[in-house]
Amino acid sequence: MHKFLPYIFFLVIISVQGQAPKKLNSAEIDQALKKLNFLGSVLYIAAHPDDENTRLISYFSNEVNARTGYLSITRGDGGQNLIGSELKELLGVIRTQELLAARRIDGGEQRFTRAIDFGYTKTPEESMEIWDKEVVLGDVVWAIRTFKPDVIINRFNHRTSGETHGQHTASALLSVEAFNLANNKDAYPEQLNYTKTFSPTRLYFNTSPWFYGSQDEFDKADKSNFIQFDTGVYFPWNGLSNPEIAALSRSQHRSQGFGSSGSRGSQIEYVELIDGKVPEIKGDIFAGIDTSWNRLKDGAAIGKVLKEVQENYNFRDPSESLPKLIEAYKLINNLEDGYWKNIKKLEIKDIILACSGLYIEALSNVSYSTPNQSIDVKFEAINRSAVPVELSSVSVLPDSPSLESNKVLLNNENWNEKLSYTIPKDAIYTSPYWLNNNSNLGTYVVEDPKMIGLSETPRVTKAIFNLKFYDETISFEKELVYKTTDPVKGEVYQPFEIVPPVVTSFSDKVLIYTNGEPKKIDLIVTANQKDAKGKVSLKAPDTWKIEPKETSFDIKNNAGTATLSFIVTPPKEQSEADLIPEISFEGKVYSNEIIKLDYEHIPLQTLVLPAKSKLVKLDIKKKGELVGYIDGAGDVIPESLEQIGYKVVKINPDDINAASLAKFDAIVLGIRAYNMVDILKFKQTELLKYVENGGTLISQYNTNRGLVLDNLAPYKLELSRDRVTEEDAEVEFLDPQHPVLNTPNKITPKDFENWVQERGLYFSDSWAPEFTPIFSMHDKNEANSNGSLLIAKYGKGHYIYTGLSFFRQFPDAVPGAFRLFANLISIGK
């Protein structure tokens, strides 16, 4: 396993997939030297992306110079998305990349377990049950055994079950248990085929007044086991205070809306010792732990050489340090194989490269290719120092085609060469590894045990530069990338991707039938290489009729497409099915699509996933035709309503006036619209006039913090954090005769079957008597919550507030959600 750990570190320090390589400046080299001379590690543990304390991570990484990691139990798959419509596993990919973006800023490293964030839970017991505790506990043990932290810090309190998100408490409970199991050879013995047992020295809880309810209660607390330190330090080497770095890091969590402004000055953090050896020196979490080179056999000599490097470092000419750095590299290379040897060997290689001013790069002539296809690789090397460096050879992995160079790189003379490289025929697609197999209810399935915990799929296509400094040859790895020049952004890097030779996508991800009439569905086939010929068929249960049975495609150009049309006829009865494409090409069958996630704050993500369309024959009626929609944080309400026959028009909030609204049968506000759209505070009067004149306004959930106006509704309506997280919670009909339960569709308990993730969130807990509550529901062992759907007559129209999670149900084509929403639109008509 050790060979994978340096790989992660290399990504953090040197480059990022799809982004320009990091080039250390003189001050950053000095900082890297300090980190090279510190042999201590800290692992911070919490449940989700955005749970981590970036002040502490940055403090330990940049002030203490410790190797600092964040273990997020999940990838945040169950959260909301404020920047797009992606949910579930696609959101998990975005939030994974946001964590990596955060770590690039605060200097930490990132790890995960296989646990899936399945949404808000109220108890750790529920979390453990759905995750399969033994699996996720094993992943935490694996993280400890492979990261080997001297100190572990929990974000959450393991002693407060039920007082916060259940997954929060579960993360702390797992950490407490794994702390002692990691050194037990009888616990998860299969892991010992790849790593060794390990015993961390101490386990802390990152406490604060928040966990005590108030500053007064915190002041009264027994702090005999606490350590406090001021994380408000200033770093002259980058001109930022630690809290400023932490704010920049936290602001990478854009999908969650966690933009943060930096601060300056003293900021005290507290950690409470909850297990392990009591520090000999109060106030130092590393007290009694040797964090110098002396902790390694034969390490003292290395420490002596590197101390000299650090003391004599020349900011104006870092290359003066190269002779001693090469001497230290040889000593490190001669150490017995082990954890710190691997970590420090990569660190010093990065420093050697930076001190020499060496720039090395391997570029593909295309952004993607397919197995068994050839590409051109362009190599560049330039030495920007007076120290002669010999480029012995370059090669490409895997399969190692190489160029023998034996070229002495003189100061500022550029070296360029090209090489033709054939992608291995058994190459694995560069897609998130945890999505390669169907997941279990609460955990991803990962076949290769060495991959568990990695942030990303390791890129196996890379270049090796063999460089000779004085008499020592050192190999440097560089990932293969693709580079373009954008007229606005300038130099733009993209990851080099390996993709299937043919992929497909449906024109409609969901196809809803409200009657027995057949529908045409278009299948788009894309060729990722030239001259692609093959056949395509669609597979569905026999009750669904598909014509034709099979059709052909012939695509001449790389990136060319063919649109193939099929007629799909539903069964007579209500039914749900998956429609699966099968492409027969060159003796193999392909059923994948490519999804690209392209956001400015993260590298372009290319996902190779199974292609399918959801077919639903739905017993549904509707009234009204034209629906207005105002964007909120992002959902698929417009597309979903169009599937059941409505015409949906997106409304620009700036254009709202009485005349522009009058034509709509109903207006729907996107999720969190009153949190996200500032201008609504000036347009609310017009929206309520629309209702008063006979319209229907449907406001989906908003959070009670950060509302752009005080009064959401024409009458008193207060929002809470109440939610029902059990998607199969029983639903009681409070007013069975209410029109919304009877017209035009008769709503029954069957309509609440097969809901996903939750019933709803951010229900109202207090409302005026003009509102009628429609449903009552609750999670296990909790009181009823009646604020999930409230309807009030106002003038001639209806104002509706709902916390029911339609935004989750529609992408999964849950029939009852469509039937109920059609009734909301149809009310009063």
Side-chain angles (χ1 to χ4, degrees):
M1 179 61 189
H2 288 158
K3 66 179 181 179
F4 287 92
L5 293 175
Y7 179 86
I8 298 172
F9 190 67
F10 175 79
L11 286 179
V12 173
I13 297 298
I14 292 297
S15 67
V16 180
Q17 291 167 192
Q19 291 188 344
K22 172 71 172 175
K23 308 178 189 75
L24 299 181
N25 62 40
S26 188
E28 289 168 332
I29 294 172
D30 181 61
Q31 180 67 12
L33 285 169
K34 294 174 183 174
K35 187 176 284 285
L36 181 63
N37 281 319
F38 190 93
L39 280 71
S41 56
V42 178
L43 184 62
Y44 199 87
I45 298 180
H48 310 105
D50 72 46
D51 284 343
E52 78 273 28
N53 184 338
T54 53
R55 287 188 302 275
L56 268 190
I57 291 175
S58 177
Y59 176 82
F60 282 115
S61 178
N62 298 307
E63 172 67 10
V64 180
N65 294 308
R67 185 184 187 210
T68 308
Y70 174 43
L71 175 62
S72 179
I73 301 296
T74 76
R75 296 179 184 266
D77 334 64
Q80 287 89 49
N81 184 0
L82 300 188
I83 61 174
S85 59
E86 296 89 356
L87 294 173
K88 299 168 68 173
E89 66 272 6
L90 297 185
L91 177 59
V93 173
I94 291 171
R95 298 191 71 193
T96 293
Q97 290 299 320
E98 289 179 335
L99 274 177
L100 289 171
R103 299 295 79 80
R104 290 192 290 273
I105 290 170
D106 60 36
E109 301 175 41
Q110 189 60 52
R111 295 189 66 97
F112 296 93
T113 76
R114 287 171 286 177
I116 295 173
D117 175 9
F118 52 86
Y120 191 90
T121 58
K122 297 177 180 177
T123 67
E125 291 77 18
E126 180 188 5
S127 301
M128 300 285 201
E129 181 180 352
I130 294 176
W131 281 342
D132 188 342
K133 176 193 170 185
E134 291 307 308
V135 171
V136 181
L137 177 61
D139 288 0
V140 180
V141 170
W142 170 256
I144 294 172
R145 286 173 172 174
T146 53
F147 192 86
K148 303 189 184 304
D150 297 305
V151 173
I152 296 174
I153 302 175
N154 290 344
R155 179 56 169 146
F156 297 105
N157 193 344
H158 66 288
R159 299 160 293 197
T160 53
S161 177
E163 294 184 17
T164 182
H165 193 323
Q167 292 179 21
H168 290 172
T169 308
S171 72
L173 288 167
L174 290 166
S175 175
V176 169
E177 191 167 351
F179 178 80
N180 293 302
L181 284 179
N183 199 40
N184 182 349
K185 62 181 176 57
D186 295 324
Y188 302 98
E190 69 282 356
Q191 295 180 4
L192 303 182
N193 294 321
Y194 310 101
T195 189
K196 297 179 180 179
T197 59
F198 182 77
S199 181
T201 302
R202 299 183 187 100
L203 175 63
Y204 291 96
F205 159 47
N206 182 197
T207 189
S208 71
W210 187 87
F211 289 98
Y212 284 79
S214 70
Q215 183 67 50
D216 287 343
E217 291 301 313
F218 183 69
D219 291 341
K220 299 174 187 175
D222 177 9
K223 297 185 179 62
S224 57
N225 272 344
F226 285 22
I227 293 176
Q228 71 176 58
F229 26 78
D230 189 348
T231 63
V233 295
Y234 172 68
F235 301 121
W237 58 272
N238 68 359
L240 295 171
S241 68
N242 188 67
E244 287 175 307
I245 294 175
L248 291 170
S249 171
R250 187 159 181 76
S251 295
Q252 299 308 301
H253 296 298
R254 297 185 190 179
S255 65
Q256 295 299 103
F258 281 126
S260 178
S261 58
S263 61
R264 289 141 296 278
S266 176
Q267 289 198 4
I268 305 299
E269 288 285 343
Y270 301 87
V271 294
E272 175 189 359
L273 183 68
I274 54 177
D275 204 345
K277 188 176 180 181
V278 177
E280 299 168 4
I281 303 173
K282 191 167 179 62
D284 180 4
I285 68 168
F286 284 106
I289 302 170
D290 190 349
T291 58
S292 73
W293 281 98
N294 293 327
R295 81 182 291 173
L296 304 182
K297 180 184 177 183
D298 300 323
I302 301 170
K304 182 179 178 181
V305 174
L306 289 176
K307 181 181 179 182
E308 188 177 344
V309 172
Q310 200 169 332
E311 289 175 346
N312 297 318
Y313 177 65
N314 185 344
F315 282 83
R316 291 186 176 274
D317 186 5
S319 67
E320 288 184 3
S321 299
L322 282 172
K324 286 294 182 182
L325 284 170
I326 299 301
E327 181 183 344
Y329 172 82
K330 291 178 182 179
L331 292 172
I332 293 172
N333 203 31
N334 289 330
L335 290 172
E336 294 180 2
D337 284 342
Y339 170 80
W340 282 112
K341 173 184 176 178
N342 293 327
I343 297 300
K344 295 302 176 181
K345 187 176 174 181
L346 277 180
E347 285 186 36
I348 196 169
K349 283 169 64 174
D350 299 339
I351 294 170
I352 289 170
L353 204 65
C355 284
S356 66
L358 268 165
Y359 182 83
I360 53 177
E361 185 172 72
L363 299 176
S364 167
N365 66 317
V366 291
S367 62
Y368 65 87
S369 189
T370 63
N372 213 31
Q373 296 294 300
S374 293
I375 62 172
D376 289 333
V377 179
K378 177 185 175 183
F379 303 100
E380 178 183 355
I382 184 167
N383 173 16
R384 293 167 293 187
S385 76
V387 176
V389 178
E390 180 181 320
L391 177 61
S392 303
S393 64
V394 292
S395 60
V396 181
L397 296 178
D399 292 348
S400 299
S402 62
L403 287 171
E404 298 297 325
S405 172
N406 299 317
K407 168 74 174 176
V408 175
L409 302 175
L410 300 178
N411 189 8
N412 226 26
E413 290 185 6
N414 201 296
W415 175 88
N416 290 282
E417 287 289 347
K418 285 185 179 180
L419 179 149
S420 180
Y421 173 66
T422 301
I423 307 297
K425 62 182 179 180
D426 58 351
I428 303 299
Y429 306 138
T430 50
S431 188
Y433 70 89
W434 62 95
L435 301 181
N436 286 342
N437 301 294
N438 291 330
S439 64
N440 296 321
L441 177 62
T443 53
Y444 289 113
V445 175
V446 179
E447 292 179 348
D448 184 350
K450 298 186 297 298
M451 300 278 279
I452 293 170
L454 298 184
S455 298
E456 302 175 279
T457 304
R459 301 271 167 162
V460 296
T461 310
K462 60 186 70 175
I464 306 296
F465 290 77
N466 293 309
L467 296 163
K468 191 172 184 180
F469 299 81
Y470 308 110
D471 61 343
E472 184 73 10
T473 298
I474 305 175
S475 295
F476 295 88
E477 292 185 357
K478 296 294 287 185
E479 288 180 10
L480 199 60
V481 294
Y482 176 69
K483 184 168 68 174
T484 58
T485 302
D486 183 274
V488 175
K489 299 178 182 178
E491 192 174 65
V492 176
Y493 283 79
Q494 289 179 229
F496 171 73
E497 308 288 3
I498 300 174
V499 298
V502 287
V503 292
T504 186
S505 62
F506 285 102
S507 56
D508 296 295
K509 295 294 186 185
V510 175
L511 206 61
I512 295 178
Y513 293 79
T514 58
N515 53 46
E517 294 296 317
K519 288 188 176 184
K520 184 181 81 165
I521 186 166
D522 289 332
L523 185 73
I524 302 167
V525 178
T526 301
N528 293 319
Q529 61 187 57
K530 294 180 179 179
D531 298 320
K533 297 180 181 180
K535 297 183 180 297
V536 180
S537 60
L538 300 182
K539 303 299 180 185
D542 292 340
T543 53
W544 293 81
K545 182 181 177 182
I546 301 170
E547 295 179 324
K549 297 290 185 184
E550 185 179 79
T551 189
S552 301
F553 65 90
D554 184 353
I555 303 172
K556 299 297 184 185
N557 299 321
N558 188 352
T561 63
T563 300
L564 310 176
S565 297
F566 295 83
I567 303 298
V568 181
T569 304
K572 293 181 180 179
E573 67 280 358
Q574 184 161 302
S575 175
E576 299 176 56
D578 286 334
L579 187 64
I580 307 294
E582 292 188 351
I583 306 175
S584 298
F585 175 71
E586 295 184 344
K588 293 184 178 181
V589 176
Y590 297 89
S591 299
N592 292 321
E593 67 175 326
I594 287 179
I595 297 175
K596 291 184 181 291
L597 303 177
D598 192 3
Y599 291 97
E600 284 192 352
H601 65 303
I602 60 175
L604 174 69
Q605 299 297 296
T606 300
L607 286 66
V608 179
L609 298 175
K612 66 179 179 179
S613 180
K614 183 74 174 285
L615 301 175
V616 180
K617 170 62 188 314
L618 189 56
D619 178 15
I620 190 171
K621 302 179 182 67
K622 67 181 185 66
K623 294 182 180 180
E625 299 295 334
L626 185 63
V627 175
Y629 174 80
I630 300 173
D631 275 316
D635 55 39
V636 294
I637 299 297
E639 301 93 321
S640 302
L641 295 181
E642 287 174 345
Q643 280 282 345
I644 59 173
Y646 284 105
K647 181 180 179 182
V648 181
V649 175
K650 288 198 175 184
I651 300 172
N652 182 341
D654 292 329
D655 299 334
I656 291 175
N657 58 60
S660 68
L661 302 182
K663 61 187 176 184
F664 294 110
D665 295 302
I667 294 173
V668 180
L669 291 165
I671 57 175
R672 297 177 72 164
Y674 285 122
N675 298 122
M676 303 287 297
V677 187
D678 285 340
I679 199 171
L680 286 181
K681 61 186 170 186
F682 304 112
K683 299 294 183 176
Q684 181 74 345
T685 301
E686 295 294 339
L687 288 171
L688 294 183
K689 281 182 182 177
Y690 160 77
V691 177
E692 192 173 13
N693 291 332
T696 298
L697 182 64
I698 302 169
S699 175
Q700 296 185 88
Y701 92 90
N702 292 271
T703 65
N704 55 4
R705 290 183 294 180
L707 291 166
V708 300
L709 74 173
D710 295 328
N711 300 310
L712 294 183
Y715 311 111
K716 175 192 171 186
L717 177 70
E718 295 181 4
L719 306 184
S720 70
R721 297 185 63 82
D722 292 351
R723 61 179 76 204
V724 174
T725 65
E726 295 167 14
E727 62 268 28
D728 57 353
E730 183 179 351
V731 178
E732 178 187 352
F733 294 10
L734 296 175
D735 187 358
Q737 303 310 311
H738 195 283
V740 82
L741 296 176
N742 294 280
T743 304
N745 303 290
K746 178 69 174 177
I747 303 300
T748 71
K750 186 175 178 62
D751 289 298
F752 286 93
E753 294 178 0
N754 300 318
W755 280 47
V756 297
Q757 187 159 319
E758 63 200 359
R759 288 298 190 201
L761 65 172
Y762 296 105
F763 296 169
S764 174
D765 63 351
S766 179
W767 54 85
E770 286 84 356
F771 280 104
T772 299
I774 305 300
F775 301 122
S776 180
M777 58 188 75
H778 64 89
D779 284 326
K780 189 183 301 180
N781 300 323
E782 291 195 355
N784 284 336
S785 180
N786 297 347
S788 63
L789 178 59
L790 301 170
I791 301 176
K793 195 83 168 60
Y794 180 64
K796 299 177 183 178
H798 294 81
Y799 179 94
I800 299 172
Y801 177 81
T802 179
L804 294 171
S805 59
F806 291 104
F807 75 104
R808 295 199 190 278
Q809 312 315 313
F810 282 1
D812 274 54
V814 177
F818 280 94
R819 285 164 45 83
L820 177 57
F821 210 95
N823 282 15
L824 297 181
I825 293 173
S826 303
I827 194 168
K829 297 175 181 58

